[in-house]
Amino acid sequence: MPCYALEGVVPVVDPSAYVHPTAVLIGDVIVGPGCYVGPGASLRGDFGRIVLERGSNVQDNCVIHGFPDQDTVVEENGHIGHGAVLHSCVVRRDALVGMNAVVMDEAEVGESAIVAACAFVPAGMKVPARSLVTGVPARVRRQLGDEEIAWKQEGTQTYQDLTRRCLASLVEVQPLAAAEENRPRLQSPDVRPLIATRRG
């Protein structure tokens, strides 16, 4: 992976974490045990420290950055969806930031809260625990139900499993010219979108 020290400060990646080779880590970045960092993610610890705690995931094309003297933190089992941007904020344990959402300076996403896809969490906002926020700017819509909390936890566990799968078998290869007959399918876990779980 592109990994750069800045002024002698070297990124840290726990051996049980997986960071995709196209993700970029710069300076004061700490990736904890069992974390997943996806393709094209940019973790720029060139001003403030970035910390990913145990079991958290930062998916493809996310950007994490911050100001000096203020850590940007994704706590244990935090889940950061594709293309999200975090800047000088804290995402508490078991919270989810949806795809293409933005969480701004000194904002805090509470424990087990969900920030909806494409939401904009303004600077200084405190998202209550177990709540859903949506919109631009984000507003608290309601408390989350147990089914939604369980769905989020299952999704995070899927990324923790993906960490193990990537460490065990992901290798760079040349593509095939054509799909082989009886092409195998990946043995990934059964994961479904929330809307599918509601359909039963």
Side-chain angles (χ1 to χ4, degrees):
M1 85 197 77
C3 189
Y4 302 93
L6 182 64
E7 296 170 350
V9 179
V10 179
V12 175
V13 178
D14 187 275
S16 66
Y18 177 77
V19 179
H20 190 274
T22 61
V24 179
L25 308 183
I26 299 172
D28 197 358
V29 176
I30 302 171
V31 178
C35 292
Y36 174 88
V37 178
S42 175
L43 282 65
R44 279 185 47 212
D46 49 15
F47 291 160
R49 176 172 294 168
I50 295 168
V51 179
L52 305 184
E53 293 185 0
R54 179 183 296 275
S56 60
N57 69 78
V58 173
Q59 297 170 22
D60 36 312
N61 298 320
C62 290
V63 174
I64 303 181
H65 194 237
F67 285 117
D69 302 321
Q70 183 173 346
D71 295 355
T72 303
V73 180
V74 179
E75 290 188 347
E76 186 170 353
N77 297 333
H79 191 109
I80 312 302
H82 317 290
V85 177
L86 307 182
H87 202 276
S88 281
C89 60
V90 176
V91 176
R92 294 291 180 200
R93 180 183 176 126
D94 287 316
L96 181 150
V97 175
M99 292 181 271
N100 290 311
V102 176
V103 183
M104 288 299 295
D105 311 316
E106 299 183 24
E108 180 180 317
V109 178
E111 185 171 332
S112 298
I114 293 178
V115 175
C118 298
F120 179 83
V121 178
M125 182 177 185
K126 307 300 183 198
V127 175
R130 293 182 60 102
S131 65
L132 171 68
V133 298
T134 69
V136 180
R139 299 274 189 255
V140 177
R141 300 302 174 188
R142 59 180 173 79
Q143 287 295 110
L144 293 167
D146 291 340
E147 174 194 39
E148 293 164 311
I149 298 290
W151 170 81
K152 184 274 169 196
Q153 290 170 339
E154 289 172 11
T156 300
Q157 289 166 2
T158 299
Y159 270 90
Q160 292 166 349
D161 180 65
L162 180 59
T163 295
R164 293 184 287 271
R165 292 168 60 208
C166 289
L167 287 171
S169 69
L170 187 73
V171 294
E172 187 172 1
V173 296
Q174 292 298 313
L176 301 173
E180 60 271 60
E181 189 174 341
N182 299 317
R183 180 176 174 84
R185 290 194 176 266
L186 293 170
Q187 300 302 306
S188 56
D190 180 30
V191 60
R192 299 183 298 159
L194 185 60
I195 191 172
T197 65
R198 289 178 175 159
R199 286 196 296 260

